[in-house]
Amino acid sequence: MVHMPTRDQVIDALRTVIDPELRRDIVELEMVRSVEIHPNGVVDVMVSLTTPGCPIRTHFETGVTQAIRELGEVSHVNVSFDVLSDNEKQALGRKLGRGALPEGALAQVSNVICIGSGKGGVGKSSVTANLAAALAAQGKQVGVLDADVWGYSQPRMLGLGNERPRVNAERKLMPLTAHDGISVMSIGFFIEQDAAVVWRGPMLHKALQQFLEDVDWGALDYLLIDLPPGTGDVSMTLAQLLPQAKFVIVTTPQPVAQKVARRSAEMATKLKLEIAGVIENMSAFVTPTGERYAVFGEGGGQLLAEELEVPLLAKVPLTMGLREQSDAGTPLVLSDPDDPAAQAIYQGARGLIALSPVELPVMQAPAPAAAPKPVGMSLPMA
Ligand SMILES: Nc1ncnc2c1ncn2[C@@H]1O[C@H](COP(=O)(O)OP(=O)(O)OP(=O)(O)O)[C@@H](O)[C@H]1O
Ligand SMILES: [Mg+2]
């Protein structure tokens, strides 16, 4: 007696099949047209595509077949295709549009990269600041959005202390400029030093949305986003606003990587963002005489990268220089490019460049010059 999977089980299994362009699963996208389960162990599935000549047909075919075969008791899976009607495509567009930024915001930004980690204090902010400077040193236009609204650190790390952002003629906030023309925006620019910020859900959402929509980021090759630790509200909101963003996970070398790996993989699934790679930070400390101390263990970054099937972009060693630079305001990659940590970050930057599609941002005519005037944001203070 063969126990065939139920229709619900098949549908559930199909939730693991992701449309690589739309970054959502085919069930959520309502692209599963029909499912038929035959008593002889054969399952027929019809998937609707957005265009007839869809190059990702085989991706769906393999994905659907594998997902259903994993249910057991299935002898064969037939996958067929049809095309969404114009009405269905419009409905899909509306569905995808919900929560996303309006057309035009960040239109000139080629790559959005969120730098995150499963836990705090692993060096996300240090890596972000240095990666930004390393990319800028390679001739890229770079922006940094400090999305750690509670523990912002980019103003300090990039040496932007006392200035306040201004608005331009189009009533957009101008990011501040750090070393080598890095455009920077942080909540820290708007509040008194060390004042605590109390954020509630909708306000937080609004503030982040403002940072993306109402800031004149201009044409950027890379917008790096320094995330707060974990998968809190900030990460969720950003993932929702920026479905095109990629994710770089910073981790330490502890070989408890199994647990960290699982948490990071869960985080990526939850955020529905593509993972671009892993950066291991605080790798072995090497003394000037060449002695090596693996203070935080070894191999964690490699394990995590293997687990997630993404490249290990860099192994950044612990160095005195990297610790000291966070307070000095000049990224180590600029102040001491020969430091082993700086070298590793340059390598990470080159890796990121190699991963990015070569695509020139659309240039716009420069806005007419106008006398800038200072602005404030309405922020809840404690
Ligand atoms: N490779 C390194 N070598 C030496 N010190 C480092 C290194 N990486 C980070 N640090 C130091 O570790 C501390 C934490 O780093 P950082 O603030 O970048 O971490 P974070 O992940 O952003 O933390 P949080 O989760 O609080 O945002 C800082 O004092 C920083 O200078
Ligand atoms: Mg940080």
Side-chain angles (χ1 to χ4, degrees):
M1 172 80 193
V2 180
H3 287 283
M4 291 299 296
T6 62
R7 192 189 147 78
D8 282 352
Q9 283 171 326
V10 170
I11 296 281
D12 238 16
L14 291 177
R15 286 184 201 278
T16 59
V17 182
I18 310 288
D19 182 317
E21 273 165 18
L22 304 174
R23 305 260 167 75
R24 317 241 173 136
D25 72 75
I26 57 172
V27 177
E28 187 189 344
L29 290 170
E30 293 172 30
M31 285 162 62
V32 181
R33 181 77 80 193
S34 64
V35 172
E36 270 177 63
I37 302 155
H38 304 282
N40 61 354
V42 174
V43 178
D44 295 336
V45 177
M46 187 184 279
V47 177
S48 299
L49 303 172
T50 45
T51 52
C54 194
I56 41 186
R57 242 166 216 264
T58 24
H59 164 85
F60 286 128
E61 199 159 354
T62 327
V64 166
T65 308
Q66 263 172 12
I68 297 177
R69 277 189 168 271
E70 272 167 25
L71 296 172
E73 311 284 358
V74 174
S75 61
H76 189 74
V77 182
N78 289 317
V79 187
S80 55
F81 296 97
D82 74 347
V83 179
L84 292 172
S85 70
D86 285 346
N87 277 345
E88 288 168 324
K89 267 185 244 171
Q90 275 170 17
L92 181 62
R94 281 194 296 276
K95 190 181 167 106
L96 292 170
R98 233 181 317 156
L101 291 175
E103 197 79 35
L106 301 189
Q108 301 181 80
V109 178
S110 307
N111 299 282
V112 182
I113 296 178
C114 296
I115 319 271
S117 67
K119 57 177 189 168
V122 299
K124 291 176 292 301
S125 303
S126 313
V127 165
T128 306
N130 278 282
L131 208 48
L135 286 165
Q138 312 265 316
K140 302 294 175 189
Q141 279 298 322
V142 184
V144 172
L145 170 58
D146 188 350
D148 193 346
V149 291
W150 302 279
Y152 57 89
S153 40
Q154 292 305 328
R156 175 172 52 91
M157 290 188 175
L158 291 169
L160 296 166
N162 313 309
E163 232 179 307
R164 275 191 167 222
R166 293 163 183 271
V167 269
N168 65 12
E170 287 149 347
R171 307 191 54 78
K172 295 248 182 184
L173 278 164
M174 300 297 292
L176 296 186
T177 305
H179 319 274
D180 275 352
I182 304 168
S183 301
V184 190
M185 191 45 84
S186 170
I187 207 78
F189 297 152
F190 299 94
I191 63 181
E192 294 305 315
Q193 209 165 15
D194 297 329
V197 184
V198 187
W199 293 101
R200 280 165 281 132
M203 242 180 213
L204 181 66
H205 188 96
K206 184 77 200 116
L208 289 169
Q209 196 167 6
Q210 236 184 312
F211 273 162
L212 297 166
E213 252 174 63
D214 300 338
V215 171
D216 186 0
W217 288 105
L220 294 180
D221 297 306
Y222 292 91
L223 176 62
L224 303 186
I225 305 187
D226 183 10
L227 292 181
T231 35
D233 289 352
V234 172
S235 311
M236 293 306 291
T237 293
L238 283 170
Q240 215 182 349
L241 291 170
L242 297 166
Q244 81 275 35
K246 290 188 183 158
F247 200 66
V248 165
I249 299 178
V250 180
T251 190
T252 50
Q254 276 101 325
V256 295
Q258 280 316 96
K259 209 167 109 195
V260 181
R262 217 174 305 127
R263 211 189 304 154
S264 304
E266 277 166 18
M267 173 159 66
T269 321
K270 199 168 146 195
L271 299 178
K272 296 195 176 113
L273 294 183
E274 183 187 329
I275 305 177
V278 170
I279 292 184
E280 182 183 279
N281 186 31
M282 309 194 177
S283 308
F285 174 73
V286 182
T287 65
T289 54
E291 279 168 283
R292 209 160 168 280
Y293 295 92
V295 182
F296 292 114
E298 298 218 61
Q302 186 64 45
L303 257 173
L304 179 54
E306 278 166 18
E307 184 97 358
L308 300 174
E309 296 178 8
V310 297
L312 178 61
L313 293 167
K315 282 173 81 170
V316 184
L318 271 170
T319 67
M320 294 291 276
L322 197 65
R323 192 187 56 74
E324 284 161 4
Q325 71 91 46
S326 3
D327 292 317
T330 302
L332 182 72
V333 295
L334 301 178
S335 63
D336 188 2
D338 293 330
D339 182 283
Q343 289 286 316
I345 288 176
Y346 273 114
Q347 194 201 344
R350 287 192 296 269
L352 264 188
I353 293 172
L355 288 177
S356 320
V358 183
E359 197 181 350
L360 294 172
V362 185
M363 301 301 282
Q364 276 182 358
K373 45 185 188 294
V375 283
M377 280 184 95
S378 46
L379 294 175
M381 304 285 191

